[in-house]
């Protein structure tokens, strides 16, 4: 059901020529796709967790139903409150919803939990947490604080080649521009441009 649901949903909702091709040759049904993913979540034997992750993405990125996305996140957190991957998903829902105070609170909570108990595999995504908080603070026009968070994404990583670092450099350059610090901004733009990722 999960595979069928994902196919049905995305075949019906893909933009452009890719979506047209899927609809012409095999079709797709948005509502049926969501229903199948929900069946996998509720009755599946092996892929309940994955089904919930897909629903979070569908609700937050495509349907813009943030209340439903947060409900799925809450259900994940109830299963395992200490799992930082679940918190990361919740943070991304706040970002998609452009709920900047929620994003900032979720980022601070995530990093607090990370400092208490780091989890293997998540450290590669820390840059996205710093970037999310930086973006929230930019939207809130709190530029000095945004710089602090973006610096965290640039300098507090064990994975300096990740694309998150490049995004943090770009956003820091934009903040510096907003603050009238053009020469510093240009340096960051150049560094970001010269990065391979």
């Amino acid at each position: 059901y999960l595979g069928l649901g994902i196919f049905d949903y995305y075949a019906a909702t893909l933009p452009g020529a890719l979506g047209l091709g899927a609809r012409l040759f095999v079709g797709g049904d948005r509502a049926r796709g969501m229903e199948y993913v929900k069946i996998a979540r509720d009755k599946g034997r092996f892929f309940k967790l994955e089904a919930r992750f897909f629903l979070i993405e569908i609700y937050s990125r495509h349907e813009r139903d943030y209340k439903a996305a947060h409900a799925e996140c809450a259900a994940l957190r109830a299963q395992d409150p200490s799992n930082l991957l679940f918190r990361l998903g919740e943070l991304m829902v706040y970002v998609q919803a452009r709920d900047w105070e929620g994003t900032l609170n979720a980022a601070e909570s995530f990093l607090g939990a990370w400092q208490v108990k780091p989890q293997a595999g998540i450290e590669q995504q820390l840059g996205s947490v710093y970037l999310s908080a930086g973006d929230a603070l930019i939207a809130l026009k709190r530029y000095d604080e945004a710089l602090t968070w973006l610096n965290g994404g640039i300098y507090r990583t064990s994975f300096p080649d990740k694309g998150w670092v490049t995004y943090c450099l770009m956003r820091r350059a934009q903040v510096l521009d907003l603050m009238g610090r053009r020469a510093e901004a240009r340096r960051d733009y150049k560094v970001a441009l010269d990065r391979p990722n």
Side-chain angles (χ1 to χ4, degrees):
Y1 276 96
L2 179 59
L4 289 171
I6 292 167
F7 176 82
D8 248 348
Y9 182 83
Y10 286 107
T13 60
L14 283 172
L18 190 56
L20 178 62
R23 285 187 289 282
L24 284 176
F25 294 107
V26 286
D29 185 309
R30 183 182 144 276
R32 182 178 61 202
M34 287 184 69
E35 190 56 37
Y36 280 178
V37 175
K38 289 177 188 175
I39 289 170
R41 175 200 63 195
D42 297 336
K43 298 180 180 181
R45 201 175 342 171
F46 300 111
F47 296 105
K48 288 182 174 204
L49 183 70
E50 292 82 357
R52 202 171 291 280
F53 275 119
F54 273 102
L55 281 172
I56 291 168
E57 178 179 339
I58 287 169
Y59 283 136
S60 65
R61 294 185 67 121
H62 305 290
E63 298 295 316
R64 308 248 186 260
D65 184 346
Y66 305 114
K67 184 177 179 182
H70 279 299
E72 296 295 337
C73 289
L76 281 177
R77 295 264 318 264
Q79 284 181 338
D80 183 359
S82 67
N83 190 317
L84 290 178
L85 180 61
F86 298 167
R87 285 183 184 224
L88 189 59
E90 186 175 40
L91 171 63
M92 293 305 132
V93 172
Y94 283 114
V95 171
Q96 288 294 320
R98 296 177 183 231
D99 176 348
W100 303 124
E101 289 293 344
T103 298
L104 192 54
N105 291 334
E108 289 172 344
S109 174
F110 181 97
L111 285 181
W114 169 262
Q115 289 170 354
V116 171
K117 187 178 179 187
Q119 294 175 4
I122 298 293
E123 65 273 3
Q124 293 189 38
Q125 301 304 316
L126 285 178
S128 69
V129 176
Y130 285 104
L131 176 64
S132 297
D135 282 346
L137 289 160
I138 292 168
L140 295 168
K141 297 183 176 12
R142 292 161 53 185
Y143 301 132
D144 288 323
E145 293 172 80
L147 286 178
T148 300
W149 278 90
L150 295 168
N151 284 335
I154 296 165
Y155 301 118
R156 293 183 184 167
T157 179
S158 300
F159 299 89
D161 294 332
K162 292 287 281 185
W164 297 122
V165 175
T166 306
Y167 279 116
C168 286
L169 281 160
M170 279 296 299
R171 295 301 276 159
R172 185 173 75 179
Q174 291 168 336
V175 170
L176 290 167
D177 257 342
L178 288 167
M179 297 173 81
R181 294 161 61 179
R182 182 69 175 152
E184 294 170 83
R186 288 177 62 104
R187 279 195 296 272
D188 274 356
Y189 287 131
K190 173 124 179 52
V191 171
L193 184 64
D194 290 342
R195 287 174 55 85
N197 190 353

